[in-house]
Amino acid sequence: MSSQTAIVRISGISKNFGGLAALQEVSITVGRGTITSVIGPNGAGKTTLINVLSGFLKPDSGTIELNGAVITGRKAHAITRLGMARTFQTAQVFGQMSVLENVMVGCHARTRTGLAGAALRLPGVRAEERAVREKARGLLAMVGLAGQASMTAASIPIGSQRLLEIARALASQPAVLLLDEPAAGLNTQETRRLGELLLDIRRQGITIMLVEHDMELVMDISDEIAVLNFGRSIARGTPAEIQASPDVIAVYLGED
Amino acid sequence: MHVRKNIPLILLVASVAAAALLITDPYILTMLIFIGIYAIATMGLNLLLGFAGQISLGHGAFFALGAYVSAILTTRFGAPCTAAAALAVALVCAIAWAVGLPCLRLKGHYLAMGTLAFGEIIHITLNAEVELTGGPSGIAGIPVLSLGPFSADSDARYFLIVWCVFIALFVLTRNIINSRPGRALQALHGSEQAAGAMGIDVAGMKLTVFVLSAAYAALAGVLYVHFVAFVSPQAGDIMFSIKMVTMVVAGGMGHLWGGLLGAALLTVLPEMLSYFEDYDMLIYGGILLAMVMFMPGGLTQGLARLSGALRARRTAVRPGAVTGGRTEDPVPRRTAQ
Ligand SMILES: Nc1ncnc2c1ncn2[C@@H]1O[C@H](COP(=O)(O)OP(=O)(O)OP(=O)(O)O)[C@@H](O)[C@H]1O
Ligand SMILES: [Mg+2]
């Protein structure tokens, strides 16, 4: 994997919350087209890392490059437009909208219709609307939620909401997809299907950065794994290397 | 567009046409005109409150500003009504933008307080700027709406204008709701974080919907002032701002028909209750309280539940009737969490 070009380069990122160093000089390179997982015990700083990458938090120092361009400090919506989309550790669907509409919102970054065009339903707007609807239906089918398209997002089970978040993020046509514990709350069978879905997404050329506690899933599908502990990146390597690393076993795997 | 989905709108158009032809009672016409005007204002406020989930307790001020600007332009400067109306709406949009920029950084209670303060400032200014606004005694002798040779000089004509404006705005608003910007503003309500993650400029979208909803209020204020032919600072005071919010909540937040139903209820109810004289406010308050308790989704949800129940009974009576297996919630949009 090391021969692959990097799509995301995280260099020396630090983030403090008051006196707490949530991230300390973290550097991780995500290879293009890989599934790169970030693991670590609770409070290691994984979500903070995703928040920094996706523009929800400003790092105190360090830089983030996406496709060679520095994106540190840019706003969340701008980063999505640049091709990095995310999901949330606690699912954040648009509860009062339908499942289909949720995914259609995901197309926002790649469509243009403004207020006036929308109000007047200009012909171009109609065409765009049809395309967005079709695309959203396709993505719902891909994650297995086609049957729930017209239900309100708040009314579907939490596991389905997580899949919906993935479909919604994919609608923004990301080059990189950041997933924060997508398997949390899923049963074994659902987790297996999630693993297949993620491999499917990777096959489509989308790079995935996966934060996950489910070790079986992580070891199964990851190309690379980075380990965080107390805000520091302490190891990185292939699943086999990570499983064999005494450091990792000591601070992380041995803990459970 | 499916015909079935448009049935309520078609019914409304037909009723408006029939009413314009048949109703001659000035009292009823006046009431219908006021309902239409308030329905326009609350449709805009519903975009902000019901769809985008942002509170404003200052929308009465936008209504008053629209009314005042049009009144001043027509009476002091002899501007034609249509030009005055357009300028009034444009000016209010600019003011809403300037107010929204700092206010919308606030959330929840703070946003409520910020917009409330703005409303008070406008109210005080309208009272104090005697030379421009006539102070507490207001402005009288405002001309009726006219465009070229056509003048809305009868109640029936004014009724038609107000309701044509409402219907046109309804269609435009529905188009917005069911499209990219409309979905973006509803996403704000669901989760601002997730909206940002979808590439929506959260701050920009909030400001847009705030200005848009102020434009509806201003237009309603314009229609109001050229009908009543008089305006005083009371037109858009805090009580009116709260009444607008009540109309949206009682009608159904996040339902396009909610504004109209709420406006109708809160206009007709006090009139009917005046029969009870001293007790009218008590009963009025009681009814609103009961509605909030038993119909938290407002009238639209109440009606949707009712029709859902009726439909369910009909299908239950006909054995073997196919329901199509739809699991769709009859009322997809709920009130704010
Ligand atoms: N907004 C915040 N303000 C203050 N402290 C925070 C904030 N966000 C996170 N922290 C702290 O930073 C540390 C890292 O948190 P983070 O959420 O990144 O951990 P995590 O690795 O995602 O953990 P988990 O596996 O439990 O999700 C924790 O100690 C947490 O309490
Ligand atoms: Mg986390």
Side-chain angles (χ1 to χ4, degrees):
Chain A
M1 288 303 146
S2 52
S3 63
Q4 249 155 338
T5 55
I7 188 162
V8 178
R9 203 183 292 275
I10 302 163
S11 323
I13 290 286
S14 296
K15 178 72 194 176
N16 295 291
F17 295 114
L20 180 98
L23 293 175
Q24 302 179 57
E25 296 281 327
V26 170
S27 299
I28 296 173
T29 313
V30 180
R32 187 182 302 276
T34 64
I35 296 181
T36 299
S37 291
V38 176
I39 62 172
N42 292 111
K46 305 179 298 291
T47 298
T48 305
L49 182 64
I50 287 197
N51 283 338
V52 167
L53 283 173
S54 56
F56 282 87
L57 287 176
K58 276 201 175 69
D60 299 330
S61 61
T63 56
I64 297 155
E65 281 171 59
L66 173 64
N67 269 325
V70 175
I71 58 163
T72 334
R74 305 211 47 172
K75 291 219 173 84
H77 63 91
I79 288 179
T80 304
R81 286 175 201 182
L82 290 171
M84 191 144 70
R86 69 168 291 178
T87 65
F88 294 88
Q89 184 167 350
T90 24
Q92 295 204 26
V93 296
F94 307 122
Q96 81 281 24
M97 301 173 82
S98 76
V99 166
L100 183 69
E101 282 174 320
N102 265 264
V103 184
M104 290 170 82
V105 172
C107 299
H108 189 90
R110 302 288 168 241
T111 45
R112 334 181 49 94
T113 301
L115 266 185
L120 300 173
R121 284 262 144 176
L122 303 174
V125 173
R126 278 169 199 265
E128 191 179 88
E129 188 72 7
R130 250 195 316 272
V132 163
R133 194 171 291 272
E134 277 318 299
K135 185 173 159 189
R137 283 196 192 285
L139 286 168
L140 279 182
M142 179 177 164
V143 302
L145 287 176
Q148 281 93 308
S150 59
M151 291 175 73
T152 53
S155 71
I156 63 174
I158 195 77
S160 306
Q161 291 190 10
R162 291 193 178 283
L163 293 172
L164 174 57
E165 277 211 350
I166 294 176
R168 191 177 65 178
L170 287 174
S172 72
Q173 292 174 11
V176 180
L177 183 60
L178 310 173
L179 301 174
D180 199 350
E181 300 196 22
L186 302 192
N187 62 33
T188 331
Q189 202 192 353
E190 289 169 328
T191 304
R192 192 166 325 118
R193 248 181 289 146
L194 174 71
E196 281 159 23
L197 174 65
L198 298 188
L199 289 172
D200 201 17
I201 292 170
R202 186 188 62 176
R203 264 195 296 278
Q204 296 179 15
I206 297 169
T207 305
I208 295 176
M209 187 170 128
L210 172 69
V211 166
E212 186 49 65
H213 279 299
D214 188 317
M215 280 310 125
E216 212 180 307
L217 175 67
V218 168
M219 296 304 164
D220 265 5
I221 66 170
S222 304
D223 301 298
E224 287 257 7
I225 298 174
V227 186
L228 284 187
N229 191 31
F230 291 118
R232 288 186 181 281
S233 134
I234 58 158
R236 67 161 306 151
T238 62
E241 287 163 357
I242 293 297
Q243 271 168 315
S245 157
D247 278 357
V248 177
I249 291 165
V251 304
Y252 186 77
L253 295 173
E255 211 182 52
D256 296 343
Chain B
M1 274 287 136
H2 308 290
V3 174
R4 236 192 106 178
K5 245 172 37 186
N6 280 316
I7 286 177
L9 189 61
I10 292 166
L11 283 179
L12 178 68
V13 172
S15 328
V16 166
L21 290 171
L22 300 176
I23 298 181
T24 50
D25 184 333
Y27 172 73
I28 294 180
L29 274 178
T30 302
M31 199 134 81
L32 290 174
I33 288 168
F34 277 121
I35 291 174
I37 288 170
Y38 295 149
I40 289 168
T42 47
M43 185 156 49
L45 186 59
N46 203 357
L47 276 178
L48 183 72
L49 184 66
F51 288 95
Q54 309 297 313
I55 183 77
S56 168
L57 292 178
H59 262 51
F62 295 127
F63 182 92
L65 282 170
Y68 266 97
V69 174
S70 200
I72 291 168
L73 288 176
T74 47
T75 56
R76 303 274 154 87
F77 301 96
C81 287
T82 38
L87 257 171
V89 174
L91 193 66
V92 168
C93 284
I95 293 170
W97 186 85
V99 172
L101 210 53
C103 266
L104 292 168
R105 287 171 192 273
L106 307 172
K107 280 188 179 148
H109 302 313
Y110 298 102
L111 179 58
M113 264 151 50
T115 48
L116 186 75
F118 159 72
E120 270 311 284
I121 291 167
I122 296 298
H123 191 240
I124 292 167
T125 312
L126 292 177
N127 267 309
E129 288 292 319
V130 179
E131 270 184 28
L132 190 65
T133 66
S137 47
I139 302 171
I142 299 157
V144 78
L145 277 186
S146 60
L147 179 59
F150 179 84
S151 169
D153 48 7
S154 74
D155 284 356
R157 280 185 176 188
Y158 212 92
F159 165 84
L160 206 55
I161 287 182
V162 166
W163 281 92
C164 284
V165 170
F166 175 82
I167 289 164
L169 277 179
F170 184 92
V171 172
L172 296 180
T173 311
R174 192 176 60 179
N175 286 346
I176 290 175
I177 288 301
N178 295 317
S179 69
R180 177 176 180 267
R183 284 188 295 268
L185 69 88
Q186 293 174 79
L188 295 182
H189 192 167
S191 160
E192 281 183 25
Q193 283 208 329
M198 292 301 105
I200 295 164
D201 174 1
V202 172
M205 197 63 221
K206 273 192 198 174
L207 194 55
T208 304
V209 63
F210 189 72
V211 171
L212 185 66
S213 72
Y216 285 70
L219 183 58
V222 168
L223 289 170
Y224 168 88
V225 85
H226 291 283
F227 177 63
V228 181
F230 168 77
V231 63
S232 77
Q234 257 192 324
D237 63 0
I238 168 70
M239 287 316 290
F240 183 62
S241 291
I242 292 173
K243 191 167 179 174
M244 277 172 70
V245 172
T246 315
M247 285 175 175
V248 173
V249 174
M253 288 200 282
H255 273 283
L256 260 182
W257 289 104
L260 171 58
L261 292 180
L265 181 78
L266 266 78
T267 309
V268 172
L269 204 55
E271 294 290 323
M272 287 175 20
L273 293 177
S274 62
Y275 170 80
F276 294 99
E277 296 182 353
D278 290 349
Y279 297 104
D280 61 343
M281 283 319 283
L282 200 65
I283 299 171
Y284 181 66
I287 291 176
L288 289 183
L289 195 64
M291 279 193 58
V292 172
M293 287 174 67
F294 299 112
M295 242 191 266
L299 275 178
T300 29
Q301 194 186 46
L303 289 178
R305 278 217 197 119
L306 194 67
S307 78
L310 289 177
R311 215 176 303 151
R313 179 176 295 177
R314 240 184 298 147
T315 38
V317 168
R318 274 187 292 141
V322 183
T323 54
R326 290 203 325 165
T327 39
E328 203 169 0
D329 189 334
V331 182
R333 285 174 246 288
R334 288 279 151 75
T335 50
Q337 293 101 22

